[in-house]
Amino acid sequence: MHCQTLVLGAGIVGVSTALHLQARGRQVILIDRDEPGSGTSHGNAGLIERSSVIPYAFPRNLGALLRYGLNRQPDVRYSPLHLPKAAPWLLRYWQQSAPGRLAAAAADMLPLVQRSVEEHDALIEAAGLAALVKAKGWIEVFRNPALFAQAKQEVKGLARYGLHYEFLEREQLQAREQQLQGDVVGGIHWLDPKTVSNPGGLTRGYAALFVQRGGQFLHGDASSLRQVDGKWRVDSQRGTLSADEVVACLGPQSAELYAPLGYRFPLGIKRGYHMHYATRGDAQLQHSICDTQGGYVLAPMARGLRLTTGIEFAASDAPANEIQLQRCEALARKLFPALGERLDDQPWLGRRPCMPDMRPVIGPAPRHKGLWFNFGHAHHGLTLGPVTGRLLAEMLTGEQPFTDPAPYSAARFD
């Protein structure tokens, strides 16, 4: 069975890439071992994050480094056994987080972030998924007056990005979200982002649109990829598939494909958890809430309130560890006392694929004709899936890219 292009991975990045290639006339087959939207795309905080113009950087402040070193913070946790293995990647991440390099990363990522909402909007309308999306932004809350004052100054420094926001003092915040209590001193309401009540459902809706437009989705094994007589072959439920081109959109599993081909990309994994909760009485949240100090997001979802944690550095295949979730849950119950019982039997564990220079890998493989990459979206896979799918499709089909793709080139690591 032959087609023009195979897309490996049916998360938000892979599905979006398949849709954009399809829209440019490519015959595409989408391959995944699971159902679309079952992996990392299922478990995020549901933010289409137009306001994140500065990438998540490694802390540079000595005091913060010492606090994290004690391994008692709710927003970042590490496994002591994993730390020696992760140390070279963390050092590289710390180096790339220096002010000048961080500013360069922000400049390189800005064209993608700026188009993120409009690219989603087009697919949401075409797929009839408007019921899953709200244009109410999200609210960042603060429990420390000094940190709130510092955040205000930092936000004012983002004026050139044209972001829309409102500063909320304590009374204004509580008027907007009446159920918030505890020691909150204020917040910032980011107005540009959109929120999704079922991120996995959104991805599956995009996949259904791909099939509706004539594409095929098949279960298959991406790790079986090999090149034979100039064609790419993959094993699937329908037998062996062959194609002229293959696009690898495998997120945290990307190394399973590129490592056997001889590539050594510095892909790191930041683990994270989520849990759904009921609410007591008729209490509800109107917006997604991010507790900056706690490093968690509390978001209204179709299943209930979803609490998503910050970063855990541990072996990708290590068993789940509830310490971080328990710390964040304790803080969330003080912030939102109406948080009820857990609705999931076990915490969901996800893996964010991160590059130390805070840019994804988008473009052709340096040493294999017909092989393309689109992975490494870190904390913003949901946000950037459609826009990076567009960029990859423009490059592959010879169309003029909407932005210079050089910053995301795989060759920068080769």
Side-chain angles (χ1 to χ4, degrees):
M1 188 174 178
H2 183 78
C3 70
Q4 287 179 293
T5 310
L6 290 172
V7 175
L8 306 180
I12 186 65
V13 176
V15 172
S16 299
T17 300
L19 277 165
H20 278 292
L21 286 167
Q22 182 185 59
R24 286 159 178 78
R26 279 296 198 276
Q27 180 195 15
V28 182
I29 296 179
L30 179 64
I31 300 289
D32 201 301
R33 61 191 176 196
D34 298 314
E35 294 303 311
S38 298
T40 306
S41 298
H42 165 76
N44 54 73
L47 303 178
I48 302 174
E49 235 312 60
R50 170 62 182 88
S51 62
S52 283
V53 293
I54 307 298
Y56 289 119
F58 197 97
R60 305 279 298 182
N61 177 274
L62 180 59
L65 292 173
L66 291 174
R67 287 195 301 274
Y68 288 126
L70 295 174
N71 208 16
R72 297 174 182 173
Q73 299 300 307
D75 54 338
V76 179
R77 178 193 171 271
Y78 63 87
S79 165
L81 294 177
H82 180 65
L83 197 57
K85 183 178 179 180
W89 188 91
L90 291 172
L91 175 60
R92 197 165 180 175
Y93 183 23
W94 178 79
Q95 291 171 334
Q96 291 292 329
S97 298
R101 292 179 175 180
L102 180 60
D108 287 341
M109 292 301 296
L110 184 60
L112 304 181
V113 175
Q114 284 179 321
R115 288 184 65 119
S116 59
V117 171
E118 64 184 88
E119 292 294 343
H120 266 287
D121 283 347
L123 295 180
I124 289 165
E125 181 179 3
L129 299 171
L132 297 181
V133 184
K134 293 183 178 180
K136 299 170 64 175
W138 60 277
I139 299 176
E140 183 177 11
V141 301
F142 294 86
R143 293 180 283 109
N144 180 296
L147 290 179
F148 186 33
Q150 179 183 338
K152 289 180 180 179
Q153 292 303 313
E154 292 174 350
V155 169
K156 291 176 182 178
L158 303 178
R160 64 185 181 278
Y161 297 109
L163 300 176
H164 299 89
Y165 57 86
E166 293 180 26
F167 293 135
L168 305 176
E169 300 303 324
R170 179 182 174 87
E171 295 76 14
Q172 295 170 306
L173 174 60
Q174 291 188 321
R176 197 154 299 187
E177 286 289 353
Q178 299 178 6
Q179 302 296 330
L180 295 185
Q181 297 183 24
D183 54 355
V184 291
V185 298
I188 302 172
H189 189 171
W190 297 97
L191 301 172
D192 296 296
K194 293 189 175 183
T195 58
V196 182
S197 63
N198 187 344
L202 186 78
T203 303
R204 288 186 287 277
Y206 288 175
L209 176 64
F210 168 73
V211 173
Q212 177 187 329
R213 289 176 170 177
Q216 291 189 71
F217 169 74
L218 298 175
H219 292 291
D221 181 9
S223 65
S224 68
L225 181 70
R226 66 268 189 196
Q227 193 174 31
V228 180
D229 298 328
K231 303 294 183 182
W232 291 98
R233 295 185 180 181
V234 172
D235 297 334
S236 80
Q237 69 187 99
R238 297 275 295 275
T240 300
L241 306 175
S242 70
D244 303 315
E245 306 141 342
V246 61
V247 185
C249 306
L250 297 171
Q253 287 80 41
S254 296
E256 297 175 16
L257 183 142
Y258 66 67
L261 296 174
Y263 295 97
R264 297 292 180 264
F265 300 122
L267 179 65
I269 302 297
K270 296 180 182 178
R271 304 195 339 165
Y273 299 84
H274 86 223
M275 173 61 68
H276 290 101
Y277 299 83
T279 56
R280 298 189 178 96
D282 58 356
Q284 58 182 322
L285 284 178
Q286 302 298 323
H287 305 82
S288 295
I289 303 295
C290 176
D291 180 345
T292 303
Q293 289 174 261
Y296 66 88
V297 174
L298 199 58
M301 292 279 175
R303 179 165 168 73
L305 283 182
R306 177 182 290 182
L307 188 156
T308 59
T309 68
I311 299 166
E312 181 187 55
F313 290 108
S316 181
D317 58 353
N321 186 317
E322 280 207 40
I323 291 176
Q324 189 176 39
L325 180 63
Q326 291 169 355
R327 291 171 177 170
C328 292
E329 182 181 313
L331 292 172
R333 291 191 183 281
K334 293 179 180 178
L335 178 68
F336 184 71
L339 193 67
E341 71 274 11
R342 292 184 173 190
L343 298 178
D344 305 325
D345 293 334
Q346 299 291 333
W348 182 87
L349 168 61
R351 298 160 178 86
R352 307 175 184 101
C354 304
M355 309 306 293
D357 65 355
M358 295 161 280
R359 302 162 176 87
V361 176
I362 309 170
R367 300 190 303 275
H368 290 81
K369 183 179 179 181
L371 175 62
W372 296 72
F373 296 123
N374 193 0
F375 68 89
H377 295 65
H379 296 258
H380 297 307
L382 178 67
T383 297
L384 299 177
V387 69
T388 60
R390 169 180 284 277
L391 180 60
L392 188 288
E394 289 172 345
M395 296 170 67
L396 190 150
T397 59
E399 187 177 332
Q400 179 65 39
F402 74 86
T403 190
D404 181 5
Y408 327 115
S409 170
R412 73 188 194 268
F413 298 118
D414 190 47

